[in-house]
Amino acid sequence: MRIRALSTAAALAAGMVIVSPSAHAAAPAVQIIKIYYDSPGSPDNGNNKSLNGEYVQIKNMTKKAVSLRNWTIRDDTKQADHVYTFGAFTLRAGKTVTLRTGKGRDTATTLYWGRSGGGTFAYIWNQTRDTAYLRNASGRLVDSCSYNSSRADYKIC
């Protein structure tokens, strides 16, 4: 204890700023970890395979399961049809779920937005820049991830 006090006093005398661990913002328990915004292949014709090549991944960073019921994920367009609302889904401790844009059968690791048709209008994530927003059931922002690039197909958040 005395050594810590001396090192803190020395740091202050040297003009250093001491930040206690509690002063750091806690990382969200559930995080957006990746957005694959430019589905592979060409052209982006809006077929289901191409739509499902576009996805966002969300990870539970805790050691406890988290219910995502009524949580939402949306892009930056503010369009009503660009909001996905989670149904009865529990993200297990330390696990990742992939939310694909197109249609498919939901599993414990992959969910589907259910978009189809409409050519390029069926896609959610813009190919050059966008932001994903993850909100809990109360509407509070839990995490977000932005990208601004046309040189890659995905963003690690």
Side-chain angles (χ1 to χ4, degrees):
M1 189 73 147
R2 181 175 164 87
I3 293 172
R4 182 175 179 183
L6 288 173
S7 64
T8 301
L12 289 172
M16 298 172 74
V17 177
I18 305 292
V19 179
S20 67
S22 61
H24 293 288
V30 179
Q31 295 179 5
I32 301 167
I33 60 168
K34 183 178 184 181
I35 304 172
Y36 204 108
Y37 53 86
D38 187 6
S39 58
S42 179
D44 291 334
N45 58 14
N47 68 31
N48 198 52
K49 181 178 179 182
S50 183
L51 287 170
N52 281 332
E54 178 183 87
Y55 59 84
V56 60
Q57 290 183 319
I58 301 163
K59 183 171 183 175
N60 179 351
M61 308 302 278
T62 72
K63 295 181 180 182
K64 295 175 76 174
V66 175
S67 171
L68 299 184
R69 178 188 291 272
N70 293 324
W71 285 43
T72 61
I73 191 140
R74 73 175 313 141
D75 75 337
D76 206 26
T77 65
K78 311 291 188 275
Q79 294 177 11
D81 66 340
H82 282 217
V83 178
Y84 176 85
T85 303
F86 289 85
F89 183 80
T90 299
L91 187 54
R92 297 188 322 251
K95 298 298 180 186
T96 298
V97 63
T98 300
L99 174 58
R100 296 189 178 275
T101 299
K103 292 184 175 185
R105 185 178 202 160
D106 291 345
T107 69
T109 58
T110 306
L111 300 174
Y112 294 87
W113 202 299
R115 302 203 30 110
S116 65
T120 60
F121 295 107
Y123 295 94
I124 297 294
W125 309 108
N126 297 329
Q127 290 187 358
T128 56
R129 76 179 67 156
D130 212 337
T131 302
Y133 299 96
L134 178 66
R135 294 183 182 277
N136 67 15
S138 301
R140 184 180 61 82
L141 183 65
V142 173
D143 197 22
S144 65
C145 177
S146 297
Y147 58 90
N148 183 5
S149 173
S150 58
R151 290 180 275 169
D153 297 333
Y154 61 90
K155 163 77 177 193
I156 303 294
C157 304

